[in-house]
Each structure stands twice: as structure tokens, then as C-alpha cells.
Amino acid sequence: MALLKNLNDNAKTEDNSGFGTNANSYGGRFVNKNGTANIEKRGMNLLRRISWYHIMIDMPNWKFMLILFSFYIIINFIFAILYYAIGIEHLDGIEQSQSILTQFGQAYFFSAQTFTTVGYGHISPTGFLASALSSAEALIGLLSFAIATGLFFGRFSKPTAYIKFSYNALISPYKDKKALMVRLVPFKNTNLTDAKAKMTLGMSVEEDGVTTNKFYSLDLELEAINALTLSWTLVHPITEKSPFYNLTEDDFKKNHIEILVFVTTFDDMFSNTVAARTSYTFNEIIYGAKFETMYNRSEDGTKTILYLDKLNQFRTTNFS
């Protein structure tokens, strides 16, 4: 009840959150920890509602490489079967006296040489069907490698905000009061400038017997910085104007709400603005804790050392 009272009295509502207001139609959190929307789309054919380009660009590197190698092996296996079905005698260079397994293996490697347009010349097609099939395979191989090259370039050239957020948000002592704190850090050798942050409180409230989704702006001590080179702790002071004012540790445990964090910054390598986002539910908020310092001066005093492995480290503390 204290949270609802503070929301009604002090909080600034947001009408442009992009999320629906009908709480009964929502399930789970608004935004996943990795920043993606917690939405599953249905009601349309799978091939129409999915962008395969986006899937191939966004998937992990190991999965992308696995798909490429699997496609290469399977497509050559299929063509080897087709060559074998047409007849090994139409592949000049494969001896008829060899075993079936050896013949099929040589047909497979002929397929691989044709698909990659290497063409060693040890085996060559004879007859119309074998020649037509090898011509079609060479065309498919050229198109496949063009697509794979485009995907490789897209993955390497995609503007990406290489920013990691702390797994937990903290309620920490701050200037004789309390504050909600979230930490983030750039983790690659990028130059990020003009960083801006926004923090939003999302929750379901009951109004006139109807449960609706409401979103409230959380004021930050610092909403923008010129350069994002070290860690950046986003601080929402819990003052009289904060929806969290007078909330106790039990209140944070009992209320089911979500804090949405959005960060945009300019990457001068891509000459483009990149964005990162995440969210924190109340069970991911640690009450009475402070983040450990992530950086210090080097031993020779010539550099600042940023310890990325300390992003999630914090210590418990008491409020005075």
C-alpha cells in the first residue's frame, strides 16, 4: 500500500512506454535480462513472421558456424546421392571395380569440389544428367557462398552496444538517504561517447477494480555522460518524489514490479548510435548493499585498470 500511495502522490507516469496497459493479458516480465522483449508472436505462418536474416545475424558465433558447416556437409551429401543415383559410370575418373562405399565417397568429394568451384579435374561428369546436375550445383554453390559472405560481413559490421549490466540492482546508502543503483560497463575495445540512460518503473496496479499496467519515470542523478570509458552506476535517489520513498526491505520483497533500464550511446567506430537495455524484477534487487569499485590506478601510475570481472561484486551495508 505504501508503494501505491507514493505512486499516486509523487510519481510521473509515462504514456509512451510501448507496452500494453491491459495487465490481464500480460505474462511474466516486460523485458528479459538480455534486453529482448518478453513476447512470443503467433497467428501467422512461421516463414512470414520470422526474419531469417535477423536470426542468422543475432545468433551466437558457435551456432552460426555449426549451421554453416552442417549445411555444407548435408548439401554435398544430397548431391552425392543424386550423382550416385544417376550412375557412377557418368563420373569419369571413378573406377567401377571399387567398393560401393569408396565410390560414394569419391562422388561426395566430387560434389564438394563442384560446390566450391575448385574443380581439381580428377573426376569429371559425362552425359547430360550428370553435367546438368554439376552445373546446377556449381550455381547453388556460388549463391550459397555469396549469402554466407554477406552474413559474415553483416555479423562483423553490425553496430552493437558492447555493454554489460550488473545482474542485480541495489538499494544503497546515498547522501544520508537511499538510492536505487544499477551498474553497467563497456566490455570491448570500443570508444563510446554521448551516453544517455533512462530508468522506468513498470508495475500492475488496480484502478476501479481493473488491473492495468502503469509505467513511471525514475529520475536519475546523472542521465548523460560525455564518454563511457569506465563503469557507470545509474543512481535513482529515493527522495520524497520517488515512488520507492519510505519502502522497507519487506516492501521490496512483496511487490511484483519491474525496473526497465535503457541506454543509448554513440560508437565512433560504426559512426552510429547503439542501444542496450535490461530489466530487474524485485527479486533481483538487493536491499542494503553497495557495489565494489571496479577500477584503480596501475602500479606505475600510468594507466587506469578496469576489472570487468567485478561488475557484479557488491558488499552488504547498513543504513544509518
Side-chain angles (χ1 to χ4, degrees), residues 6-7 10-11 218 236-246:
N6 286 334
L7 290 175
N10 303 317
L218 299 180
H236 165 65
I238 301 179
T239 64
E240 292 82 356
K241 295 182 178 181
S242 171
F244 302 138
Y245 187 63
N246 285 334

Side-chain angles (χ1 to χ4, degrees), residues 59-164:
M59 69 172 51
N61 289 331
W62 69 268
K63 189 178 293 186
F64 176 75
M65 297 302 300
L66 179 63
I67 289 177
L68 287 186
F69 283 119
S70 299
F71 173 79
Y72 179 78
I73 293 172
I74 292 172
I75 194 70
N76 283 297
F77 187 80
I78 292 173
F79 274 105
I81 292 176
L82 295 176
Y83 286 122
Y84 197 86
I86 291 174
I88 293 299
E89 64 274 11
H90 294 289
L91 293 179
D92 190 19
I94 299 180
E95 298 180 7
Q96 303 295 317
S97 60
Q98 294 175 324
S99 65
I100 294 176
L101 184 61
T102 301
Q103 291 178 354
F104 183 82
Q106 292 190 346
Y108 179 89
F109 288 114
F110 169 72
S111 171
Q113 295 161 17
T114 303
F115 188 81
T116 58
T117 68
V118 172
Y120 290 118
H122 173 64
I123 302 172
S124 59
T126 60
F128 176 78
L129 288 179
S131 298
L133 183 60
S134 62
S135 299
E137 183 180 12
L139 176 61
I140 293 174
L142 287 172
L143 294 176
S144 299
F145 277 98
I147 293 173
T149 301
L151 290 173
F152 266 110
F153 177 78
R155 289 177 64 87
F156 281 109
S157 62
K158 182 186 69 169
T160 302
Y162 293 109
I163 295 175
K164 283 188 177 297

Side-chain angles (χ1 to χ4, degrees), residues 27-47:
R29 61 200 304 161
F30 296 107
V31 175
N32 296 315
K33 290 293 289 182
N34 63 1
T36 59
N38 188 28
I39 300 292
E40 179 182 342
K41 298 179 181 179
R42 297 181 182 179
M44 186 180 289
N45 183 277
L46 178 66
L47 296 178

Side-chain angles (χ1 to χ4, degrees), residues 267-300:
D267 190 325
D268 61 5
M269 178 62 70
F270 293 114
S271 293
N272 208 336
T273 298
V274 293
R277 54 197 168 272
T278 191
S279 75
Y280 299 89
T281 56
F282 261 18
N283 61 351
E284 294 165 343
I285 298 177
I286 307 298
Y287 190 91
K290 293 185 66 174
F291 284 115
E292 296 281 3
T293 303
M294 285 186 64
Y295 57 89
N296 60 257
R297 185 170 54 185
S298 62
E299 293 182 1
D300 59 7

